[in-house]
Amino acid sequence: LARRGVSVAPYKAQNMSNNSMVVGSPGDPRGTGEIGRAQWVQALAARVEPEVAMNPVLLKPGTDRRSHVVLMGRPAGHVDAMDFVEGRRHLAGAAHAAFDDLASRFEVVVAEGAGSPAEINLRAGDYVNMGLARHADLPTVVVGDIDRGGVFAAFAGTLALLDDDDARLLAGWVVNKFRGDLGLLQPGLDQIA
């Protein structure tokens, strides 16, 4: 998109990583802060300056059950695994506001989810996958990695587990990392279609 002259920004509401980059500068009205390295690289690929709105929530693993929170580029305490739903509600507002800000300044915002959109045990507190899609009424593409095996089972299972309001946002499916004869894949594609 960037090569075609479209102003495009990457976005990931929440990333879990210890690999981060500092963005912004003291003269930047958005300030300095820290985002995931992946979003930093994606911004460079999109030919835009990386900024904290592109990764508003960065979780840095601390222990098996606790993460350090970086919110809009700044340290913001901790979140505990046992407090998964309630402990993240305040993060959702910041993440959605950051998306809305980017959407007001760029023609296209490519929003990357995290994990599966059909984690039914986590859906109540989800603001990264279908929670974001519903917030912004986003057409959603589910990407399955064929190298892991079971890509069509994953697609069918995802569709079966989504409620109707989430499922209406599905715009397509992508089979990632396929190599070989498309004819071998076609029966699965036909059935999913």
Side-chain angles (χ1 to χ4, degrees), residues 8-24 33-60 70 73 98-99 102 106 109-115 128-129 132:
V8 60
Y11 174 83
K12 187 165 186 173
Q14 175 186 292
N15 195 352
M16 180 172 274
S17 177
N18 279 321
N19 296 314
S20 62
M21 298 294 289
V22 174
V23 298
E34 184 178 6
I35 65 172
R37 187 179 301 255
Q39 286 66 57
W40 183 83
V41 170
Q42 291 165 353
L44 297 182
R47 301 179 180 163
V48 295
E49 189 71 29
E51 60 178 276
V52 297
M54 294 171 180
N55 179 207
V57 179
L58 177 60
L59 299 180
K60 294 184 159 198
V70 178
F99 177 87
L102 290 172
F106 290 89
V109 177
V110 178
E112 175 187 351
V128 179
N129 292 312
L132 174 68

Side-chain angles (χ1 to χ4, degrees), residues 13-184:
Q14 175 186 292
N15 195 352
M16 180 172 274
S17 177
N18 279 321
N19 296 314
S20 62
M21 298 294 289
V22 174
V23 298
S25 64
D28 187 336
R30 293 180 300 262
T32 60
E34 184 178 6
I35 65 172
R37 187 179 301 255
Q39 286 66 57
W40 183 83
V41 170
Q42 291 165 353
L44 297 182
R47 301 179 180 163
V48 295
E49 189 71 29
E51 60 178 276
V52 297
M54 294 171 180
N55 179 207
V57 179
L58 177 60
L59 299 180
K60 294 184 159 198
T63 68
D64 287 348
R65 298 180 184 265
R66 191 172 184 181
S67 293
H68 306 282
V69 177
V70 178
L71 182 62
M72 292 303 291
R74 306 256 185 244
H78 299 88
V79 68
D80 190 280
M82 296 307 293
D83 195 21
F84 193 84
V85 174
E86 291 301 319
R88 286 170 170 73
R89 287 201 194 279
H90 74 286
L91 304 177
H96 291 168
F99 177 87
D100 295 344
D101 174 50
L102 290 172
S104 75
R105 295 185 285 119
F106 290 89
E107 293 174 85
V108 174
V109 177
V110 178
E112 175 187 351
S116 168
E119 296 292 347
I120 56 177
N121 57 315
L122 305 177
R123 180 60 182 95
D126 171 39
Y127 62 92
V128 179
N129 292 312
M130 300 313 295
L132 174 68
R134 266 208 224 173
H135 164 79
D137 200 32
L138 298 176
T140 302
V141 176
V142 177
V143 179
D145 182 350
I146 201 164
D147 277 351
R148 297 177 187 269
V151 73
F152 292 114
F155 286 166
T158 295
L159 186 56
L161 290 173
L162 292 178
D163 67 28
D164 291 341
D165 288 334
D166 286 346
R168 75 170 177 78
L169 295 170
L170 290 183
W173 310 88
V174 171
V175 176
N176 197 16
K177 299 182 183 174
F178 178 74
R179 297 169 298 281
D181 181 358
L182 185 58
L184 295 173

